[in-house]
Amino acid sequence: MPLIKTIKNIFAFKEPQPEPGFLMAGDEPEEVRETVTLPEQFADESVIVPPERKLTGALESDSRLIEAVFSGGENQALSRREITVSGKTAAIFFLEKLAGLDTVSRNLIGPISRMGKLSLETIRAGLTAGEVRVSGDLNGGIKQLLQGSSLVLLEGETRFLIARTGAAPYRAVSEAIHERAVRGPQEGFTEDLETNLALVQKRLRTHRFAYENLEVGSLSRTRIAILSVNGITNPRLVAEVKRRIQSLKIAHLSDSGMLEQLIEDKWWHPYPQILVTERPDRIAAGLAEGKIAVLVDGSYQALLMPATLISLLHAAEDYNVRWPYGLFMRLVRILAAFIMVFLPSLYIVANLYEPELLPTDLLFSLVAIKQYSPLPTIVEVILIELVFEIMREAAHRGPRNVVAPLIIVIGVVLGLVAVFTHLINPVLLLVILLTAIAAFVMPEFSVGLSFRLTRYFYILMAFFSGLIGIVIGVFIHLHLLVKQKSFGVPMFAPIAPFTKRSKDIVLMSPVWLREKRPDFLDPGQILRQPEDSRGWLKEQSSEPMAPELPEGGKSND
């Protein structure tokens, strides 16, 4: 069992090793990277058409070659239209559900049929599709066809045209669903990769902004974009992310959540090692800081890496309000995290091991309530926790308009029945309610889930060993966090190991004092702004506060 093996590793004695310096993942020894022998079906996904098969210029045989890739002409997924002009024939291939018949008719079939002469150059010059180029790479052409582009084959030509005509349906840009903000941009990502790239790029209007497209999945051929900023993002970090994604050999990739699990450092670790967000402004801010973003076609959530424990508690709104307000909200979030993780376990400690921790009046009240309760304390705690988990899942999965009020009514009725029948301790009910409310403060869904899972660990530790069990749990917890890395960056950075700080960790300083990017990212430029970015203060101090008026007291203006 991985958990038992991990616990054994924690307590096993190991010879002290010399502490290495800060290493990015790309600097790890080569022997760590295992060589995997792949089944033949996943050996090379880039080859669709055998290299020896090429276009000959005979339109009929070339068309049969492309149709053979799609299992022959009986496959209705592939559409073919032929146009003859002045005795020369052109064949257009497209996937109707991805390219759209209306789009192909408007941008390809209509313009080509009105041309007086057909050649690759005249067709390319006369087409109104978004991007048209000549290519001789049949494998590359088939890949573009699968992404929604159209191929134009011309009689007598061994090359062909690739025209971008993709018109797959997607959701329009709307408000972020799970990361709402009172102040700041309200736009959220959609499921369309091109739209999401535009949402990020309009916030980074610089020639340094760069992205690279990859494909993952032998069946889904899901498009993935790796985003970075040249000169700021560490090139080794970009290479490491690209290496992990390119090494994936799977059949189907449906969402960024699957990709997160495939490229994270440790699959068994309870905390997310990659930050997930649906806000383009947060991705743009992370890129400007020196991080890397990954967008997945078909997913409205983007990945931002590397992630640290502290950054998982940050919210986009922290930077859009005045710094005292942002600092206060951040401290409230940290307090909520402590309540989520420790409050139920401390309740168990106070009930079973350390009753002297409670005020006398409260202790007598608890004793009076407990004498009617038929269930042991640990059963009560886990039972109520599980009931709240079930209600939370029901709230997420049920119809939006019905489930919320229904869950409230059911929750109130269940609580009243449980208390009045003395099945559940009302004080415990209050404790679990507080932890449930604290979960909604977390800025990201995975972060809240990780804290909820950790809470059960502390409940068991408190039940078996009391306060000492919680202390041992904190030791194991910190050990796992300090040891864990996210793309070469320790999860507890910049606290452990200590690195130069950016005045934006747990506490935050005013925006004009955050001159430096985080040192643990090893960015190309450590300074993000000059020492005093408020140039108007210097101008104000060197110039008079008000313009001098001419004699008579009237301005010439």
Side-chain angles (χ1 to χ4, degrees):
M1 293 292 290
L3 180 60
I4 297 175
K5 187 178 176 182
T6 303
I7 295 174
K8 285 182 178 177
N9 287 336
I10 291 171
F11 291 102
F13 175 76
K14 295 177 183 176
E15 288 289 339
Q17 300 291 325
E19 187 67 25
F22 178 78
L23 295 176
M24 283 291 185
D27 293 334
E28 291 176 354
E30 288 295 329
E31 55 269 21
V32 174
R33 304 171 186 174
E34 298 178 359
T35 302
V36 181
T37 304
L38 298 171
E40 188 177 350
Q41 60 174 328
F42 296 123
D44 190 356
E45 296 175 2
S46 62
V47 179
I48 302 173
V49 182
E52 63 273 13
R53 301 295 302 274
K54 297 183 182 299
L55 297 183
T56 61
L59 192 60
E60 190 57 34
S61 65
D62 291 344
S63 298
R64 284 201 300 271
L65 174 59
I66 292 179
E67 288 172 349
V69 174
F70 291 85
S71 307
E74 300 299 324
N75 188 351
Q76 296 184 2
L78 180 68
S79 298
R80 172 184 171 185
R81 297 287 187 274
E82 289 191 356
I83 304 169
T84 301
V85 175
S86 302
K88 202 165 187 176
T89 304
I92 302 172
F93 291 91
F94 60 96
L95 302 179
E96 185 176 333
K97 305 305 178 192
L98 292 181
L101 183 58
D102 290 342
T103 306
V104 174
S105 300
R106 184 172 61 253
N107 294 332
L108 293 180
I109 298 176
I112 292 176
S113 60
R114 291 192 291 271
M115 292 178 183
K117 179 185 175 183
L118 293 186
S119 69
L120 291 179
E121 293 304 322
T122 55
I123 294 176
R124 187 175 69 167
L127 289 182
T128 56
E131 178 186 349
V132 183
R133 60 187 173 90
V134 179
S135 174
D137 178 13
L138 194 53
N139 276 301
I142 296 294
K143 288 180 183 177
Q144 291 297 315
L145 186 64
L146 293 169
Q147 297 296 342
S149 295
S150 299
L151 303 186
V152 181
L153 275 61
L154 195 60
E155 192 175 4
E157 295 284 352
T158 57
R159 297 183 301 165
F160 56 90
L161 289 166
I162 302 175
R164 178 171 292 181
T165 50
Y170 57 87
R171 185 168 55 93
V173 176
S174 60
E175 186 181 355
I177 300 171
H178 297 111
E179 290 185 79
R180 291 182 299 167
V182 176
R183 186 167 186 179
Q186 302 296 321
E187 286 177 332
F189 284 126
T190 72
E191 286 77 8
D192 181 58
L193 181 61
E194 303 298 331
T195 305
N196 294 342
L197 283 171
L199 289 174
V200 176
Q201 194 165 10
K202 80 175 186 178
R203 289 171 169 82
L204 292 173
R205 298 177 188 269
T206 168
H207 62 282
R208 293 182 174 188
F209 173 74
Y211 69 88
E212 183 175 357
N213 283 325
L214 300 174
E215 280 186 3
V216 173
S218 57
L219 290 180
S220 62
R221 295 196 175 275
T222 307
R223 290 185 300 153
I224 291 173
I226 302 175
L227 283 61
S228 60
V229 178
N230 291 330
I232 295 177
T233 313
N234 191 323
R236 290 178 296 159
L237 206 53
V238 179
E240 176 61 19
V241 174
K242 188 177 174 183
R243 182 183 74 84
R244 294 190 190 190
I245 293 177
Q246 284 183 324
S247 68
L248 299 178
K249 305 294 179 186
I250 60 173
H252 183 259
L253 182 75
S254 61
D255 188 77
S256 60
M258 285 182 68
L259 183 67
E260 178 191 0
Q261 299 173 63
L262 291 166
I263 63 174
E264 64 185 357
D265 287 71
K266 292 287 189 299
W267 60 269
W268 50 264
H269 203 278
Y271 284 89
Q273 297 143 54
I274 298 173
L275 195 146
V276 181
T277 180
E278 53 185 298
R279 297 182 62 90
D281 58 321
R282 200 171 187 190
I283 289 293
L287 290 172
E289 205 169 47
K291 296 182 179 179
I292 293 179
V294 174
L295 304 180
V296 178
D297 194 24
S299 175
Y300 74 97
Q301 291 178 318
L303 307 179
L304 192 65
M305 59 207 71
T308 61
L309 181 66
I310 301 298
S311 69
L312 294 176
L313 293 172
H314 292 180
E317 201 171 21
D318 296 351
Y319 306 96
N320 297 328
V321 297
R322 296 186 66 241
W323 73 270
Y325 313 152
L327 175 62
F328 175 72
M329 290 192 295
R330 192 173 285 182
L331 293 177
V332 168
R333 223 172 285 129
I334 293 171
L335 175 64
F338 274 95
I339 289 174
M340 279 183 68
V341 175
F342 292 110
L343 192 58
S345 55
L346 289 175
Y347 171 83
I348 291 176
V349 169
N351 264 269
L352 301 182
Y353 292 93
E354 312 284 348
E356 64 273 13
L357 291 176
L358 300 174
T360 307
D361 294 341
L362 179 59
L363 179 62
F364 286 152
S365 301
L366 272 179
V367 171
I369 294 170
K370 281 291 292 181
Q371 63 181 340
Y372 298 108
S373 178
L375 299 176
T377 303
I378 183 67
V379 176
E380 272 186 320
V381 172
I382 293 181
L383 181 64
I384 300 182
E385 286 280 3
L386 290 178
V387 168
F388 270 91
E389 295 293 344
I390 291 170
M391 292 174 66
R392 189 182 284 114
E393 276 301 302
H396 287 159
R397 314 296 168 200
R400 289 185 182 179
N401 297 333
V402 178
V403 75
L406 192 62
I407 290 294
I408 291 172
V409 172
I410 292 175
V412 171
V413 171
L414 281 178
L416 290 174
V417 170
V419 169
F420 284 115
T421 57
H422 302 295
L423 183 65
I424 298 297
N425 182 347
V427 178
L428 175 60
L429 197 60
L430 180 64
V431 167
I432 302 301
L433 274 174
L434 275 175
T435 60
I437 293 171
F440 293 107
V441 181
M442 294 300 109
E444 204 263 315
F445 182 68
S446 298
V447 180
L449 268 178
S450 61
F451 286 140
R452 281 155 57 189
L453 286 175
T454 310
R455 181 169 67 217
Y456 288 100
F457 167 70
Y458 280 106
I459 287 174
L460 293 177
M461 294 297 287
F463 173 68
F464 287 116
S465 306
L467 202 55
I468 296 176
I470 293 181
V471 173
I472 294 174
V474 170
F475 171 76
I476 297 173
H477 199 164
L478 288 176
H479 176 83
L480 291 175
L481 283 173
V482 171
K483 191 178 177 183
Q484 182 55 39
K485 289 185 176 181
S486 168
F487 291 85
V489 174
M491 286 282 290
F492 229 70
I495 300 172
F498 179 82
T499 62
K500 293 178 183 175
R501 303 181 180 186
S502 62
K503 298 180 182 177
D504 180 23
I505 310 170
V506 178
L507 305 179
M508 60 189 296
S509 55
V511 64
W512 62 87
L513 293 178
R514 301 176 213 147
E515 303 102 358
K516 296 180 180 179
R517 296 186 171 88
D519 185 63
F520 55 83
L521 294 174
D522 197 14
Q525 294 177 355
I526 192 67
L527 284 178
R528 74 176 115 200
Q529 62 194 29
E531 187 174 345
D532 191 354
S533 57
R534 298 179 299 170
W536 62 272
L537 279 178
K538 295 179 181 176
E539 296 170 3
Q540 193 175 44
S541 61
S542 60
E543 293 179 0
M545 293 298 293
E548 294 182 0
L549 297 177
E551 293 182 2
K554 293 183 179 179
S555 170
N556 293 330
D557 297 333

